[in-house]
Amino acid sequence: MNNIQRLPVDARRVIAVLLPDGWHHVVPGSFTVGPLGFGVDDDRLGFRFDEDNSAADEPTSLTGSLDTLLAVRQSRARSSLSSISRSACAVVPAEPARSARA
C-alpha cells in the first residue's frame, strides 16, 4: 500500500469536531491535542477545545480521549489569488500587437 497519504490537521483551523454524540462547534484557535492526564500512568493522547455554544449560560470546554474523535472540520486557507481583485489582473495577448508603421 504505497498510496497512503498523510492527512494533516492544523489545530489552529479546526472549527468543528464530530464526537459520538454529534458535531460540536469549536471556538477558533482553542483546539489542542496532547497527553490526556487522567492519572500518572495514563499515556493516552487527548484533545481539548472551547465549545462555541451560544445557548449555554457559561462558556464550556470539552476534553476527551483522541480515539473518540471521529472527524474534524477545518477552515481552508484562502488562495493568494482570491485576494487580488479581478480589475488588477491584466489580459496578456498571445502575440504582441504589430505596429501600423511596420
Side-chain angles (χ1 to χ4, degrees):
M1 292 194 82
N2 293 335
N3 294 334
I4 295 176
Q5 179 181 2
R6 288 185 75 82
L7 303 172
V9 173
D10 185 347
R12 298 168 299 179
R13 296 188 177 278
V14 173
I15 58 173
V17 298
L18 180 59
L19 298 174
D21 67 339
W23 282 101
H24 294 261
H25 297 281
V26 174
V27 172
S30 69
F31 184 82
T32 60
V33 174
L36 192 54
F38 273 122
V40 176
D41 295 329
D42 193 358
D43 59 354
R44 292 179 294 162
L45 281 178
F47 65 87
R48 183 198 169 284
F49 64 89
D50 295 331
E51 190 166 22
D52 188 3
N53 184 355
S54 58
D57 292 336
E58 297 180 18
T60 58
S61 65
L62 290 174
T63 304
S65 179
L66 196 58
D67 61 358
T68 63
L69 193 62
L70 302 174
V72 297
R73 183 176 292 141
Q74 299 180 82
S75 63
R76 293 190 336 183
R78 294 191 184 271
S79 159
S80 60
L81 291 178
S82 67
S83 62
I84 301 173
S85 70
R86 291 188 182 268
S87 62
C89 296
V91 176
V92 179
E95 293 181 19
R98 296 182 186 235
S99 169
R101 295 183 184 172

Coordinates of all heavy atoms in Angstrom, one line a residue:
M1 N 0.8 -1.2 0.0 CA 0.0 0.0 0.0 C 0.9 1.2 0.0 O 1.1 1.9 1.0 CB -0.9 0.0 1.2 CG -2.0 -1.1 1.2 SD -3.2 -0.8 2.4 CE -4.3 0.4 1.5
N2 N 1.4 1.6 -1.1 CA 2.3 2.7 -1.2 C 1.5 4.0 -1.5 O 2.1 5.1 -1.6 CB 3.3 2.6 -2.4 CG 4.3 1.5 -2.0 OD1 4.5 1.2 -0.9 ND2 4.9 0.9 -3.1
N3 N 0.2 3.9 -1.6 CA -0.6 5.1 -1.9 C -1.2 5.8 -0.6 O -2.1 6.6 -0.7 CB -1.8 4.7 -2.8 CG -1.3 4.3 -4.2 OD1 -0.2 4.7 -4.6 ND2 -2.0 3.5 -4.9
I4 N -0.6 5.4 0.5 CA -1.1 6.1 1.7 C -0.6 7.5 1.8 O 0.6 7.8 1.5 CB -0.6 5.3 3.0 CG1 -1.3 3.9 3.0 CG2 -0.9 6.0 4.3 CD1 -0.8 3.0 4.1
Q5 N -1.5 8.4 2.1 CA -1.2 9.8 2.2 C -1.4 10.3 3.6 O -2.4 10.0 4.2 CB -2.0 10.5 1.1 CG -1.8 12.0 1.1 CD -2.8 12.7 0.1 OE1 -3.6 12.0 -0.6 NE2 -2.6 14.0 0.0
R6 N -0.6 11.2 4.1 CA -0.8 11.8 5.3 C -1.9 12.8 5.2 O -2.0 13.6 4.2 CB 0.5 12.5 5.8 CG 1.6 11.6 6.3 CD 2.7 12.3 6.9 NE 2.5 12.8 8.2 CZ 2.6 12.1 9.3 NH1 2.9 10.8 9.3 NH2 2.4 12.7 10.5
L7 N -2.8 12.9 6.2 CA -3.9 13.8 6.1 C -3.7 14.8 7.3 O -4.1 14.6 8.4 CB -5.2 13.1 6.3 CG -5.5 12.0 5.2 CD1 -6.7 11.2 5.5 CD2 -5.6 12.7 3.8
P8 N -2.9 15.9 7.0 CA -2.6 16.8 8.1 C -3.8 17.6 8.7 O -4.7 17.9 7.9 CB -1.6 17.8 7.5 CG -1.9 17.7 6.0 CD -2.4 16.3 5.7
V9 N -3.8 17.7 10.0 CA -4.8 18.5 10.6 C -4.1 19.7 11.3 O -3.2 19.5 12.1 CB -5.6 17.7 11.7 CG1 -6.5 18.6 12.5 CG2 -6.3 16.6 11.1
D10 N -4.5 20.9 10.9 CA -4.0 22.1 11.5 C -4.9 22.5 12.6 O -6.0 23.0 12.4 CB -3.9 23.2 10.5 CG -3.2 24.5 11.0 OD1 -3.0 24.6 12.2 OD2 -2.9 25.3 10.1
A11 N -4.4 22.3 13.9 CA -5.3 22.6 15.0 C -5.8 24.0 15.1 O -6.9 24.3 15.6 CB -4.5 22.2 16.3
R12 N -5.1 24.9 14.5 CA -5.5 26.3 14.5 C -6.7 26.6 13.6 O -7.4 27.6 13.7 CB -4.3 27.2 14.0 CG -3.1 27.2 15.0 CD -1.9 27.8 14.3 NE -1.6 27.1 13.1 CZ -0.7 27.4 12.2 NH1 0.1 28.4 12.5 NH2 -0.4 26.6 11.2
R13 N -6.9 25.7 12.7 CA -8.0 25.8 11.7 C -9.3 25.0 12.0 O -10.2 25.0 11.2 CB -7.5 25.5 10.3 CG -6.5 26.5 9.8 CD -6.2 26.3 8.4 NE -5.2 27.2 7.9 CZ -5.5 28.4 7.5 NH1 -6.8 28.9 7.5 NH2 -4.6 29.3 7.0
V14 N -9.2 24.2 13.1 CA -10.4 23.3 13.4 C -11.5 24.2 13.9 O -11.4 25.0 14.8 CB -10.0 22.3 14.5 CG1 -11.2 21.5 15.0 CG2 -8.9 21.3 14.0
I15 N -12.7 24.0 13.2 CA -13.9 24.8 13.5 C -15.0 23.9 14.1 O -16.0 24.5 14.6 CB -14.3 25.6 12.3 CG1 -14.6 24.8 11.2 CG2 -13.3 26.7 12.0 CD1 -15.3 25.5 10.0
A16 N -14.9 22.6 13.9 CA -15.9 21.7 14.4 C -15.3 20.3 14.6 O -14.4 20.0 13.8 CB -17.1 21.7 13.5
V17 N -15.8 19.5 15.5 CA -15.4 18.1 15.7 C -16.6 17.2 15.8 O -17.6 17.6 16.3 CB -14.5 18.0 16.9 CG1 -13.2 18.8 16.8 CG2 -15.2 18.3 18.2
L18 N -16.4 16.0 15.2 CA -17.5 15.1 15.3 C -17.2 14.0 16.4 O -16.2 13.3 16.3 CB -17.7 14.3 14.0 CG -18.8 13.3 13.9 CD1 -20.1 13.9 14.2 CD2 -18.8 12.6 12.5
L19 N -18.0 14.0 17.4 CA -17.9 13.1 18.5 C -19.0 12.1 18.4 O -20.0 12.3 17.6 CB -17.9 13.8 19.8 CG -16.7 14.8 20.1 CD1 -16.9 15.6 21.3 CD2 -15.4 14.0 20.1
P20 N -19.0 11.0 19.1 CA -20.1 10.0 19.0 C -21.5 10.6 19.2 O -22.5 10.1 18.7 CB -19.8 9.0 20.1 CG -18.3 9.1 20.2 CD -18.0 10.5 20.0
D21 N -21.7 11.7 19.9 CA -23.0 12.4 20.1 C -23.3 13.4 19.1 O -24.4 14.0 19.2 CB -23.1 12.9 21.5 CG -22.2 14.1 21.8 OD1 -21.2 14.3 21.1 OD2 -22.5 14.9 22.7
G22 N -22.4 13.7 18.1 CA -22.7 14.6 17.1 C -21.6 15.7 16.9 O -20.6 15.6 17.6
W23 N -21.9 16.7 16.1 CA -20.9 17.7 15.8 C -20.9 18.8 16.9 O -22.0 19.1 17.5 CB -21.3 18.4 14.5 CG -20.9 17.6 13.3 CD1 -21.7 16.9 12.5 CD2 -19.6 17.5 12.7 NE1 -21.0 16.3 11.5 CE2 -19.7 16.7 11.6 CE3 -18.3 18.1 13.0 CZ2 -18.6 16.4 10.8 CZ3 -17.2 17.8 12.2 CH2 -17.4 16.9 11.2
H24 N -19.7 19.3 17.2 CA -19.6 20.3 18.2 C -18.8 21.4 17.5 O -17.8 21.2 16.9 CB -18.8 19.8 19.4 CG -19.5 18.7 20.2 ND1 -20.2 19.0 21.4 CD2 -19.6 17.4 20.0 CE1 -20.7 17.9 21.8 NE2 -20.4 16.9 21.0
H25 N -19.3 22.7 17.7 CA -18.6 23.8 17.1 C -17.5 24.3 18.1 O -17.7 24.4 19.3 CB -19.6 25.0 16.9 CG -20.7 24.6 15.9 ND1 -20.4 24.6 14.6 CD2 -21.9 24.2 16.1 CE1 -21.5 24.2 13.9 NE2 -22.4 24.0 14.8
V26 N -16.3 24.6 17.5 CA -15.1 24.9 18.2 C -14.9 26.4 18.2 O -14.9 27.0 17.1 CB -13.9 24.1 17.7 CG1 -12.6 24.5 18.3 CG2 -14.2 22.6 17.8
V27 N -14.5 27.0 19.3 CA -14.1 28.4 19.3 C -12.7 28.4 18.5 O -11.8 27.6 18.9 CB -13.9 28.9 20.7 CG1 -13.2 30.3 20.7 CG2 -15.2 29.0 21.4
P28 N -12.6 29.2 17.5 CA -11.4 29.2 16.7 C -10.1 29.4 17.5 O -10.1 30.2 18.4 CB -11.6 30.3 15.7 CG -13.1 30.5 15.6 CD -13.6 30.1 16.9
G29 N -9.1 28.5 17.2 CA -7.9 28.6 17.9 C -7.8 27.9 19.2 O -6.7 27.8 19.9
S30 N -8.9 27.3 19.7 CA -8.9 26.6 21.0 C -8.6 25.1 21.0 O -8.4 24.5 22.0 CB -10.2 26.9 21.8 OG -11.3 26.2 21.1
F31 N -8.6 24.5 19.8 CA -8.5 23.1 19.7 C -7.0 22.7 19.9 O -6.1 23.3 19.3 CB -8.9 22.6 18.3 CG -8.9 21.1 18.2 CD1 -9.9 20.3 18.7 CD2 -7.8 20.5 17.6 CE1 -9.8 18.9 18.6 CE2 -7.7 19.1 17.5 CZ -8.7 18.3 17.9
T32 N -6.8 21.7 20.8 CA -5.4 21.3 21.1 C -5.4 19.8 21.3 O -6.4 19.2 21.6 CB -4.8 21.9 22.4 OG1 -5.6 21.6 23.5 CG2 -4.7 23.4 22.3
V33 N -4.2 19.2 21.0 CA -4.0 17.7 21.2 C -2.8 17.6 22.1 O -1.8 18.3 21.9 CB -3.8 17.0 19.9 CG1 -3.5 15.5 20.1 CG2 -5.1 17.1 19.0
G34 N -2.9 16.6 23.1 CA -1.8 16.4 23.9 C -2.0 15.2 24.9 O -3.1 14.6 24.8
P35 N -1.1 15.0 25.8 CA -1.4 13.9 26.8 C -2.6 14.2 27.6 O -2.9 15.3 28.0 CB -0.1 14.0 27.7 CG 0.9 14.7 26.9 CD 0.1 15.6 26.0
L36 N -3.4 13.1 27.8 CA -4.7 13.3 28.4 C -4.6 13.6 29.9 O -5.3 14.5 30.4 CB -5.6 12.0 28.2 CG -7.0 12.1 28.5 CD1 -7.7 13.3 27.8 CD2 -7.8 10.8 28.2
G37 N -3.8 12.9 30.6 CA -3.5 13.2 32.0 C -4.6 12.9 33.0 O -4.8 13.7 34.0
F38 N -5.3 11.8 32.9 CA -6.3 11.4 33.9 C -5.6 10.7 35.1 O -6.2 10.4 36.1 CB -7.4 10.5 33.3 CG -8.5 11.3 32.8 CD1 -8.9 11.1 31.4 CD2 -9.3 12.2 33.5 CE1 -9.9 11.8 30.9 CE2 -10.3 12.9 33.0 CZ -10.7 12.7 31.7
G39 N -4.4 10.4 35.0 CA -3.6 9.8 36.1 C -2.2 9.7 35.7 O -1.7 10.0 34.6
V40 N -1.4 9.2 36.7 CA 0.1 9.2 36.5 C 0.4 8.2 35.4 O 1.3 8.5 34.6 CB 0.8 8.7 37.8 CG1 2.2 8.6 37.6 CG2 0.5 9.7 38.9
D41 N -0.2 7.1 35.3 CA 0.1 6.1 34.3 C -0.7 6.2 33.0 O -0.7 5.4 32.1 CB -0.1 4.7 34.8 CG 0.9 4.4 36.0 OD1 2.0 4.9 35.9 OD2 0.5 3.6 36.9
D42 N -1.5 7.3 32.9 CA -2.3 7.5 31.7 C -1.4 8.1 30.6 O -1.0 9.3 30.7 CB -3.5 8.4 32.0 CG -4.5 8.4 30.9 OD1 -4.3 7.7 29.9 OD2 -5.6 9.1 31.1
D43 N -1.2 7.4 29.5 CA -0.3 7.9 28.5 C -1.1 8.0 27.1 O -0.5 8.1 26.1 CB 0.9 7.0 28.3 CG 0.6 5.5 27.9 OD1 -0.6 5.2 28.0 OD2 1.5 4.8 27.6
R44 N -2.4 8.1 27.3 CA -3.2 8.3 26.1 C -3.2 9.7 25.6 O -3.0 10.6 26.3 CB -4.7 7.9 26.4 CG -4.9 6.5 26.6 CD -6.4 6.2 26.9 NE -6.7 6.9 28.2 CZ -8.0 7.2 28.6 NH1 -9.0 6.9 27.8 NH2 -8.2 7.8 29.7
L45 N -3.4 9.9 24.3 CA -3.5 11.2 23.7 C -4.9 11.7 23.9 O -5.9 10.9 23.8 CB -3.1 11.2 22.2 CG -1.6 11.2 21.9 CD1 -1.4 11.2 20.4 CD2 -0.9 12.4 22.5
G46 N -5.1 13.0 24.1 CA -6.4 13.5 24.2 C -6.5 14.8 23.5 O -5.6 15.3 22.8
F47 N -7.7 15.4 23.5 CA -8.0 16.7 22.9 C -8.7 17.6 23.9 O -9.3 17.1 24.8 CB -8.9 16.5 21.6 CG -10.2 15.9 21.9 CD1 -11.3 16.8 22.2 CD2 -10.5 14.6 21.9 CE1 -12.6 16.3 22.5 CE2 -11.7 14.1 22.2 CZ -12.8 15.0 22.5
R48 N -8.7 18.8 23.6 CA -9.4 19.8 24.4 C -9.8 21.0 23.5 O -9.0 21.4 22.6 CB -8.6 20.3 25.5 CG -9.3 21.3 26.4 CD -8.4 22.2 27.3 NE -9.1 23.2 27.9 CZ -9.5 24.3 27.3 NH1 -9.3 24.6 26.0 NH2 -10.2 25.3 28.0
F49 N -11.0 21.5 23.7 CA -11.4 22.7 22.9 C -12.5 23.4 23.7 O -13.2 22.8 24.5 CB -11.9 22.4 21.5 CG -13.1 21.5 21.4 CD1 -14.4 22.1 21.4 CD2 -13.0 20.1 21.4 CE1 -15.5 21.3 21.4 CE2 -14.1 19.3 21.3 CZ -15.4 19.9 21.3
D50 N -12.6 24.7 23.4 CA -13.7 25.5 24.0 C -14.8 25.4 23.0 O -14.7 25.5 21.8 CB -13.3 27.0 24.1 CG -12.2 27.2 25.2 OD1 -12.1 26.3 26.1 OD2 -11.4 28.1 25.0
E51 N -16.0 25.1 23.5 CA -17.2 24.9 22.7 C -17.9 26.2 22.4 O -18.1 27.0 23.3 CB -18.2 23.9 23.3 CG -19.3 23.4 22.4 CD -20.0 22.2 22.9 OE1 -20.0 22.0 24.1 OE2 -20.6 21.6 22.1
D52 N -18.1 26.4 21.1 CA -18.9 27.6 20.7 C -20.3 27.3 20.8 O -20.9 26.9 19.8 CB -18.4 28.0 19.3 CG -19.0 29.3 18.8 OD1 -19.6 30.0 19.6 OD2 -18.7 29.7 17.7
N53 N -20.9 27.6 21.9 CA -22.3 27.2 22.2 C -23.0 28.5 22.8 O -23.0 28.7 24.0 CB -22.4 26.0 23.1 CG -23.9 25.6 23.3 OD1 -24.8 26.2 22.8 ND2 -24.0 24.5 24.0
S54 N -23.6 29.3 21.9 CA -24.3 30.5 22.4 C -25.5 30.2 23.3 O -26.0 31.1 24.0 CB -24.7 31.4 21.2 OG -25.5 30.7 20.4
A55 N -26.0 29.0 23.2 CA -27.2 28.6 24.0 C -26.8 28.4 25.5 O -27.7 28.5 26.4 CB -27.9 27.4 23.4
A56 N -25.6 28.1 25.7 CA -25.2 27.8 27.1 C -25.0 29.1 27.9 O -24.6 30.2 27.3 CB -23.8 27.1 27.1
D57 N -25.3 29.1 29.2 CA -25.2 30.3 30.0 C -23.7 30.6 30.3 O -23.4 31.8 30.5 CB -25.9 30.1 31.4 CG -27.4 30.0 31.2 OD1 -27.9 30.5 30.2 OD2 -28.1 29.4 32.0
E58 N -22.9 29.6 30.4 CA -21.5 29.8 30.7 C -20.6 29.1 29.6 O -21.1 28.1 28.9 CB -21.1 29.1 32.0 CG -21.8 29.7 33.2 CD -21.4 29.0 34.5 OE1 -20.4 28.3 34.5 OE2 -22.2 29.1 35.4
P59 N -19.4 29.7 29.3 CA -18.5 29.0 28.3 C -18.2 27.6 28.8 O -18.1 27.3 30.0 CB -17.3 29.9 28.3 CG -17.7 31.1 29.1 CD -18.9 30.8 29.9
T60 N -18.1 26.7 27.9 CA -17.8 25.3 28.2 C -16.5 24.8 27.4 O -16.3 25.4 26.3 CB -18.9 24.3 27.9 OG1 -19.3 24.5 26.5 CG2 -20.2 24.7 28.7
S61 N -15.8 23.9 28.0 CA -14.7 23.3 27.3 C -14.9 21.8 27.4 O -15.5 21.3 28.3 CB -13.4 23.7 27.8 OG -13.2 23.2 29.1
L62 N -14.5 21.1 26.3 CA -14.6 19.6 26.3 C -13.2 19.1 26.2 O -12.3 19.6 25.4 CB -15.4 19.2 25.1 CG -16.9 19.5 25.1 CD1 -17.5 19.1 23.8 CD2 -17.5 18.7 26.2
T63 N -12.9 18.0 27.0 CA -11.7 17.3 26.9 C -12.0 15.8 26.8 O -12.9 15.3 27.5 CB -10.9 17.6 28.2 OG1 -10.7 19.0 28.4 CG2 -9.5 16.9 28.2
G64 N -11.3 15.1 26.0 CA -11.6 13.7 25.9 C -10.4 12.9 25.2 O -9.4 13.5 24.8
S65 N -10.6 11.6 25.2 CA -9.6 10.7 24.5 C -9.6 10.9 23.0 O -10.7 11.0 22.4 CB -9.9 9.3 24.9 OG -9.0 8.4 24.3
L66 N -8.5 11.0 22.4 CA -8.4 11.3 21.0 C -9.0 10.2 20.2 O -9.5 10.4 19.1 CB -6.9 11.4 20.6 CG -6.6 12.0 19.2 CD1 -7.2 13.4 19.1 CD2 -5.1 12.0 19.0
D67 N -9.1 8.9 20.7 CA -9.7 7.9 20.0 C -11.3 8.0 19.9 O -11.9 7.2 19.1 CB -9.3 6.5 20.5 CG -9.7 6.2 21.9 OD1 -10.3 7.1 22.5 OD2 -9.5 5.1 22.4
T68 N -11.9 8.9 20.6 CA -13.3 9.2 20.4 C -13.6 10.2 19.4 O -14.8 10.4 19.0 CB -13.9 9.7 21.8 OG1 -13.4 10.9 22.1 CG2 -13.7 8.7 22.9
L69 N -12.6 10.8 18.9 CA -12.8 11.9 17.8 C -13.0 11.2 16.5 O -12.1 10.5 16.0 CB -11.5 12.8 17.8 CG -11.6 14.0 17.1 CD1 -12.6 15.0 17.7 CD2 -10.2 14.7 17.1
L70 N -14.1 11.4 15.9 CA -14.4 10.7 14.6 C -14.0 11.5 13.4 O -13.6 10.9 12.4 CB -16.0 10.4 14.5 CG -16.5 9.6 15.7 CD1 -18.0 9.5 15.6 CD2 -15.9 8.2 15.7
A71 N -14.1 12.8 13.5 CA -13.7 13.7 12.3 C -13.5 15.1 12.8 O -14.0 15.5 13.9 CB -14.8 13.7 11.3
V72 N -12.8 15.9 12.0 CA -12.7 17.3 12.3 C -13.0 18.1 11.0 O -12.8 17.6 9.9 CB -11.2 17.7 12.8 CG1 -10.9 17.0 14.1 CG2 -10.2 17.4 11.7
R73 N -13.6 19.3 11.2 CA -13.8 20.2 10.1 C -12.9 21.3 10.3 O -12.8 21.9 11.3 CB -15.3 20.7 10.2 CG -15.7 21.6 9.0 CD -17.1 22.0 9.1 NE -17.9 20.8 8.8 CZ -19.1 20.5 9.5 NH1 -19.5 21.3 10.4 NH2 -19.8 19.4 9.2
Q74 N -12.2 21.6 9.2 CA -11.2 22.7 9.2 C -11.6 23.8 8.3 O -12.1 23.5 7.2 CB -9.8 22.2 8.8 CG -9.2 21.1 9.7 CD -7.9 20.7 9.2 OE1 -6.9 21.4 9.5 NE2 -7.8 19.6 8.4
S75 N -11.3 25.0 8.6 CA -11.4 26.1 7.6 C -10.3 26.0 6.6 O -9.2 25.5 7.0 CB -11.4 27.5 8.3 OG -10.2 27.7 9.0
R76 N -10.5 26.3 5.4 CA -9.5 26.3 4.4 C -8.8 27.6 4.2 O -9.5 28.6 4.3 CB -10.1 25.8 3.1 CG -10.6 24.4 3.1 CD -10.9 23.8 1.8 NE -11.3 24.8 0.8 CZ -11.7 24.4 -0.4 NH1 -11.8 23.2 -0.7 NH2 -12.0 25.3 -1.3
A77 N -7.5 27.6 4.0 CA -6.8 28.8 3.7 C -7.3 29.4 2.4 O -7.4 28.6 1.4 CB -5.3 28.6 3.7
R78 N -7.5 30.7 2.3 CA -7.9 31.3 1.0 C -6.6 31.3 0.1 O -5.5 31.5 0.6 CB -8.4 32.7 1.2 CG -9.7 32.7 2.0 CD -10.2 34.1 1.9 NE -11.4 34.2 2.7 CZ -12.7 34.0 2.3 NH1 -12.8 33.6 1.1 NH2 -13.7 34.1 3.1
S79 N -6.9 31.1 -1.1 CA -5.8 31.2 -2.1 C -5.3 32.6 -2.2 O -6.0 33.6 -2.0 CB -6.4 30.8 -3.5 OG -5.6 31.3 -4.5
S80 N -4.0 32.7 -2.5 CA -3.4 34.1 -2.6 C -4.0 34.8 -3.7 O -4.0 36.0 -3.7 CB -1.9 34.0 -2.7 OG -1.6 33.2 -3.9
L81 N -4.5 34.1 -4.7 CA -5.1 34.8 -5.9 C -6.5 35.4 -5.5 O -6.9 36.3 -6.1 CB -5.3 33.8 -7.0 CG -4.0 33.4 -7.7 CD1 -4.3 32.4 -8.8 CD2 -3.3 34.6 -8.3
S82 N -7.2 34.8 -4.5 CA -8.5 35.3 -4.2 C -8.5 36.7 -3.6 O -9.4 37.4 -3.6 CB -9.2 34.4 -3.2 OG -8.6 34.4 -2.0
S83 N -7.3 37.1 -3.1 CA -7.2 38.5 -2.5 C -6.9 39.5 -3.6 O -6.9 40.7 -3.3 CB -6.1 38.5 -1.4 OG -4.9 38.2 -2.0
I84 N -6.6 39.1 -4.8 CA -6.3 40.0 -5.9 C -7.6 40.3 -6.6 O -8.3 39.4 -7.0 CB -5.3 39.4 -6.9 CG1 -4.0 39.1 -6.2 CG2 -5.1 40.4 -8.0 CD1 -3.0 38.3 -7.0
S85 N -7.9 41.6 -6.7 CA -9.2 42.0 -7.4 C -9.0 41.6 -8.9 O -8.0 41.7 -9.5 CB -9.5 43.4 -7.2 OG -8.5 44.2 -8.0
R86 N -10.2 41.3 -9.5 CA -10.2 40.9 -10.9 C -9.7 42.1 -11.8 O -9.1 41.9 -12.8 CB -11.5 40.5 -11.3 CG -11.9 39.1 -10.8 CD -13.2 38.6 -11.4 NE -13.6 37.4 -10.8 CZ -13.3 36.2 -11.3 NH1 -12.5 36.1 -12.4 NH2 -13.7 35.1 -10.7
S87 N -10.0 43.3 -11.3 CA -9.6 44.5 -12.1 C -8.1 44.7 -12.2 O -7.6 45.3 -13.0 CB -10.3 45.8 -11.6 OG -9.9 46.0 -10.3
A88 N -7.4 44.1 -11.2 CA -5.9 44.3 -11.1 C -5.3 43.3 -12.1 O -4.1 43.4 -12.4 CB -5.4 44.0 -9.7
C89 N -6.0 42.3 -12.6 CA -5.4 41.3 -13.5 C -5.5 41.8 -14.9 O -6.5 42.3 -15.4 CB -6.2 40.0 -13.4 SG -6.1 39.2 -11.8
A90 N -4.4 41.7 -15.6 CA -4.3 42.1 -17.0 C -4.4 40.9 -17.9 O -3.8 39.9 -17.6 CB -3.0 42.9 -17.2
V91 N -5.0 41.1 -19.1 CA -5.0 40.1 -20.1 C -3.8 40.3 -21.0 O -3.7 41.4 -21.6 CB -6.3 40.1 -20.8 CG1 -6.3 39.1 -22.0 CG2 -7.5 39.9 -19.9
V92 N -3.0 39.3 -21.1 CA -1.8 39.5 -22.0 C -2.1 38.7 -23.3 O -2.4 37.6 -23.3 CB -0.6 38.9 -21.3 CG1 0.7 39.1 -22.2 CG2 -0.3 39.6 -20.0
P93 N -2.0 39.5 -24.4 CA -2.2 38.8 -25.7 C -1.2 37.7 -26.0 O 0.0 37.9 -25.5 CB -2.2 39.9 -26.7 CG -1.5 41.0 -26.1 CD -1.7 40.9 -24.6
A94 N -1.5 36.7 -26.8 CA -0.6 35.7 -27.1 C 0.6 36.2 -27.9 O 1.7 35.8 -27.8 CB -1.3 34.5 -27.8
E95 N 0.3 37.1 -28.9 CA 1.3 37.7 -29.7 C 1.3 39.2 -29.5 O 0.2 39.8 -29.4 CB 1.1 37.4 -31.2 CG 1.3 36.0 -31.5 CD 1.1 35.7 -33.0 OE1 1.2 36.6 -33.8 OE2 0.8 34.5 -33.3
P96 N 2.4 39.9 -29.4 CA 2.4 41.3 -29.3 C 1.7 42.0 -30.5 O 1.8 41.5 -31.6 CB 3.8 41.8 -29.2 CG 4.7 40.5 -29.5 CD 3.7 39.4 -29.5
A97 N 1.0 43.1 -30.3 CA 0.3 43.8 -31.4 C 1.4 44.4 -32.3 O 2.4 44.9 -31.9 CB -0.6 44.9 -30.8
R98 N 1.1 44.3 -33.7 CA 2.1 44.9 -34.6 C 1.8 46.3 -34.8 O 0.6 46.8 -34.9 CB 1.9 44.1 -36.0 CG 2.3 42.7 -35.8 CD 2.2 42.0 -37.1 NE 2.4 40.6 -36.9 CZ 3.3 39.9 -37.5 NH1 4.1 40.5 -38.4 NH2 3.5 38.6 -37.3
S99 N 2.8 47.1 -34.9 CA 2.7 48.5 -35.1 C 2.2 48.8 -36.5 O 2.6 48.1 -37.5 CB 4.1 49.1 -34.9 OG 4.0 50.5 -35.3
A100 N 1.4 49.9 -36.7 CA 0.9 50.2 -38.0 C 2.1 50.7 -38.9 O 2.0 50.7 -40.1 CB -0.1 51.3 -37.9
R101 N 3.2 51.1 -38.3 CA 4.4 51.6 -39.1 C 5.2 50.5 -39.7 O 6.0 50.7 -40.6 CB 5.3 52.5 -38.2 CG 4.6 53.7 -37.7 CD 5.6 54.5 -37.0 NE 4.9 55.7 -36.4 CZ 5.4 56.5 -35.6 NH1 6.7 56.3 -35.1 NH2 4.8 57.5 -35.1
A102 N 5.0 49.3 -39.3 CA 5.9 48.2 -39.7 C 5.6 47.7 -41.1 O 4.8 47.9 -41.8 CB 5.8 47.0 -38.8

